[in-house]
Amino acid sequence: MPVPTEELKLEIVNAATGQTLGTRAAPSTDVALVVRDFPDDGPSPEQWHLTPVPAAPGGAPDDHVYVIRNAVGGKVLDTSAVAERGVRQGNAAAGKKSQQWHVVAVEGEAGRYFIEDASDGAVLDLAEPGADDTRIVLREYDDGAKSQRWRFVPAEPERTADLVLRWAPLDHWNSRRSWRLNRAPALRPVPDAAPSFSDVLRVLDRFGSDRAAGGWKSAGAVPLPGGQAGRWAGIGARFLADTTGAGPVDIVGLDPAKGALTSTARGDGTFDDERVLHPSAPAPKPADLWTLADTTGDGRPDIVVLAADGVRVSARDEGGTFTPTGTQPVLKAFGHGAQAGGWRVDRHPRFLVDTTGDGRLDLVGCHDDGVWLSLQDEEGTFAPLADEPVLRAFGAGEDAGGWLLDRHPRFLVDTTGDGRLDLVGCHDDGVWLSLRDEEGAFAEPLYILDDFGVEQGWGSVDEHPRFLLGIVGGGAPDIVGFGPEGVAVARGRGDGTFEPAKLVLNDFGHAQGWTGRKHLRLLADVTGDGNPDIVGFGDEGVWVAHNLGDGRFEQARLVCRGFGYADDAGAWRVDRHPRFLADVTGDGRLDVVGFGGPGVHVARNLFRRFRTR
């Protein structure tokens, strides 16, 4: 787990015993510290803040030096005037070295830390490991001493929502029945939730998983959460895309027999009847991948298909019709057939992005042996692949790093502000970066951050989604991840490196009950302030943690009673019911759109129109 920010309350737990750091007395007293058990029916475990030590005048701040402060009494961990190197809590004093601590991650042990005295390097340990209520002491560092390892456990999130009361039957001894108001497990959005969404409405009786709504199911790959431009969708998938270039997004479904179907947005949150957008590509296969994107920068979307024989492109003409793909692909590469390279959906990520900043989308893929690139020229032609990969790294083969699609996310993003996309990936040991130079070549990868990797507890892409985007308007891209303990952020420095990761929100993580099997978690600007907010489709519905604009987020609030996993919220399932955030009205606000069993459902974003429900 990354080191938490000072706003979060934490329990500090000894990794060897599972006992919690605290006192035998009131939190406001000067007293020696111990580890102890806290029974469920007893007092609550004590909680602490990690407060960074301010930099000395003219000096640089040290991100790993903290004052550890009792969240209730305000006392801090101190080593002064304690016999036998014991540790106590006492009154805080500015600049006092005996109250300053290094927090050092244990190498190879996710979520374990040494808490080190900043003055002499001794670490927190137990006076009698295994004994109840044993004192906390300072000892010399011993790599084999399990009692010197500590965990930080964030407090439960302070979610905000209103309780729902329902009438419940009450049976009496004389066989009569009365009714009383009873607390229900359901929640409803709070009146001041920002943004606020409308009630969920079914706007189209098509594109659903029920037989009457078409019996849709994804036979191939499904779009990644969010369904943003440039993401690929497999046969049977449903997603949202602007098929006309007019603004509001339309519904697109990939039918194995008919091809790409669409229902055009009317601009009021509803959609026209289903029609064929583009017939099937020649000999469509379940492994074909589709997307809609403006590949040339002319303002009109194109249909791009990664087929068995390579890349096929269908451009939209001025009359609004998509041209046939032709008998030959525009590029005999990046396809799943042997003649096009044998690219596999479950092994080889492919990206359709503007890597050079010229307004035209290029194709980049990570195969077994490394990274392959096809640039698009001014005539709209994709260049044939070279004889060798542009970078022998970030590939699935052992010689290229052994990158696995379900464990090691990879991103193309401009980390330096030079207009060229660099390659960033999260491997087992942390984050790797390959910068792109002025000649368009990718440099040898550099290991830049020991976090967000499998060894730090980020087990899979589904369980722990990670994103690269700027969370502060106009800033460099940051790494944002939904980790084991909550939301972690590593701020980008603008030079291809990142600050150490910090836990910024005790929510949306595995510790708070969020799992990839049940819940979607996204980043999107739902308030219109230019900064992405955290959006989670949880058990009760849609939760939003508003971006405060400085790298922090508010506690989550329930903003929509729908699109959730629980029966009361619609019983939506990740593997059957795609959900997206997109503007379906053209008013500039992101709405919630979901493909449920009986059809398409929409909850409109009312944030700028109404601040209360």
Side-chain angles (χ1 to χ4, degrees):
M1 182 186 78
V3 174
T5 58
E6 60 186 295
E7 292 83 7
L8 295 186
K9 297 177 182 178
L10 311 162
E11 295 174 20
I12 301 178
V13 179
N14 187 265
T17 66
Q19 295 178 314
T20 305
L21 179 69
T23 71
R24 299 188 185 96
S28 59
T29 58
D30 293 359
V31 66
L33 293 172
V34 299
V35 292
R36 52 179 296 205
D37 291 319
F38 288 85
D40 292 340
D41 57 352
S44 299
E46 296 192 50
Q47 296 177 346
W48 307 83
H49 288 294
L50 297 185
T51 305
V53 174
D62 189 331
D63 287 320
H64 298 281
V65 178
Y66 298 89
V67 171
I68 301 177
R69 189 183 307 275
N70 192 301
V72 175
K75 301 289 184 176
V76 301
L77 264 65
D78 196 341
T79 63
S80 62
V82 181
E84 300 178 354
R85 303 230 66 188
V87 180
R88 67 174 185 131
Q89 65 174 21
N91 293 325
K96 191 175 182 181
K97 280 293 185 181
S98 63
Q99 296 178 353
Q100 297 180 7
W101 305 87
H102 289 288
V103 176
V104 182
V106 179
E107 187 174 353
E109 297 184 27
R112 303 293 191 269
Y113 294 88
F114 298 110
I115 301 177
E116 180 184 281
D117 185 354
S119 59
D120 65 3
V123 296
L124 290 191
D125 201 347
L126 306 183
E128 300 179 56
D132 292 336
D133 287 6
T134 189
R135 292 184 307 113
I136 304 299
V137 296
L138 285 173
R139 286 205 175 104
E140 295 298 318
Y141 166 78
D142 179 359
D143 186 49
K146 298 297 184 183
S147 58
Q148 294 182 356
R149 289 155 166 78
W150 301 84
R151 295 188 295 114
F152 297 123
V153 180
E156 288 295 318
E158 298 174 4
R159 292 181 177 176
T160 305
D162 285 348
L163 296 174
V164 174
L165 296 179
R166 291 182 175 174
W167 290 104
L170 180 63
D171 293 321
H172 300 279
W173 63 272
N174 58 0
S175 300
R176 295 197 177 191
R177 170 176 287 187
S178 62
W179 297 82
R180 64 178 177 181
L181 283 173
N182 202 22
R183 178 174 171 174
L187 298 173
R188 63 186 177 195
V190 294
D192 62 344
S196 185
F197 286 83
S198 71
D199 293 332
V200 179
L201 298 175
R202 189 164 80 236
V203 297
L204 192 65
D205 295 328
R206 300 296 300 162
F207 296 101
S209 59
D210 292 350
R211 182 181 297 273
W216 285 78
K217 58 182 179 180
S218 298
V222 297
L224 296 174
Q228 302 301 319
R231 303 292 178 91
W232 304 102
I235 298 298
R238 293 145 289 164
F239 58 99
L240 302 172
D242 181 3
T243 65
T244 64
V249 295
D250 311 307
I251 294 168
V252 179
L254 304 179
D255 186 283
K258 300 178 182 178
L261 307 180
T262 187
S263 288
T264 306
R266 294 173 176 153
D268 59 357
T270 63
F271 298 87
D272 289 332
D273 292 335
E274 175 188 299
R275 63 181 178 85
V276 175
L277 180 69
H278 190 277
S280 292
K285 303 291 184 183
D288 289 353
L289 296 178
W290 293 58
T291 194
L292 273 84
D294 178 8
T295 63
T296 60
D298 62 0
R300 296 194 296 266
D302 309 301
I303 294 175
V304 183
V305 183
L306 303 182
D309 54 357
V311 183
R312 293 180 171 272
V313 176
S314 176
R316 188 176 186 272
D317 60 27
E318 295 182 356
T321 302
F322 286 92
T323 60
T325 57
T327 58
Q328 295 295 322
V330 299
L331 179 65
K332 293 182 179 180
F334 297 108
H336 52 86
Q339 69 272 32
W343 292 76
R344 288 171 45 183
V345 170
D346 61 347
R347 190 173 174 90
H348 306 130
R350 283 152 283 179
F351 306 87
L352 184 62
V353 290
D354 179 8
T355 65
T356 62
D358 63 0
R360 295 181 175 273
L361 301 185
D362 312 306
L363 277 160
V364 185
C366 300
H367 208 289
D368 290 339
D369 51 358
V371 180
W372 295 82
L373 170 66
S374 172
L375 296 176
Q376 191 183 178
D377 62 23
E378 294 181 357
E379 304 300 322
T381 302
F382 287 97
L385 299 188
D387 294 333
E388 298 288 334
V390 297
L391 180 65
R392 291 193 177 276
F394 296 99
E398 288 190 12
D399 291 341
W403 292 75
L404 303 178
L405 193 68
D406 62 340
R407 291 162 64 95
H408 307 134
R410 281 150 281 181
F411 309 89
L412 281 160
V413 63
D414 180 9
T415 64
T416 62
D418 61 5
R420 299 184 294 270
L421 299 190
D422 312 303
L423 191 51
V424 183
C426 303
H427 207 284
D428 289 343
D429 52 356
V431 182
W432 291 79
L433 166 74
S434 174
L435 293 172
R436 198 149 187 253
D437 62 24
E438 295 180 358
E439 305 300 322
F442 285 97
E444 283 299 310
L446 299 173
Y447 180 63
I448 58 172
L449 190 64
D450 58 346
D451 215 325
F452 298 103
V454 175
E455 293 175 1
Q456 292 88 29
W458 301 74
S460 72
V461 172
D462 289 338
E463 285 300 317
H464 304 299
R466 279 144 281 181
F467 300 85
L468 255 80
L469 75 173
I471 61 173
V472 176
D478 311 299
I479 303 174
V480 183
F482 298 92
E485 300 291 340
V487 181
V489 172
R491 298 295 310 277
R493 295 190 175 110
D495 60 357
T497 64
F498 297 86
E499 296 177 1
K502 290 186 177 181
L503 186 71
V504 299
L505 186 64
N506 56 333
D507 209 342
F508 299 104
H510 189 268
Q512 294 85 30
W514 293 77
T515 71
R517 181 179 60 85
K518 296 170 58 176
H519 308 123
L520 297 177
R521 287 155 289 178
L522 315 172
L523 287 163
D525 178 14
V526 295
T527 60
D529 62 0
N531 299 318
D533 309 294
I534 295 171
V535 184
F537 293 83
D539 289 337
E540 306 87 350
V542 183
W543 294 85
V544 169
H546 180 229
N547 189 330
L548 296 173
D550 58 0
R552 298 176 300 135
F553 296 86
E554 290 180 350
Q555 289 288 328
R557 294 187 170 200
L558 185 65
V559 300
C560 180
R561 179 67 192 159
F563 301 106
Y565 185 86
D567 290 344
D568 286 336
W572 292 72
R573 298 294 181 261
V574 170
D575 60 342
R576 296 201 302 271
H577 307 135
R579 282 151 286 176
F580 304 92
L581 292 164
D583 180 11
V584 297
T585 62
D587 61 5
R589 298 189 292 266
L590 296 183
D591 311 294
V592 183
V593 183
F595 296 87
V600 181
H601 298 73
V602 170
R604 294 181 58 182
N605 188 334
L606 306 176
F607 177 58
R608 293 180 185 166
R609 190 170 302 170
F610 305 107
R611 295 301 297 270
T612 60
R613 291 180 68 80

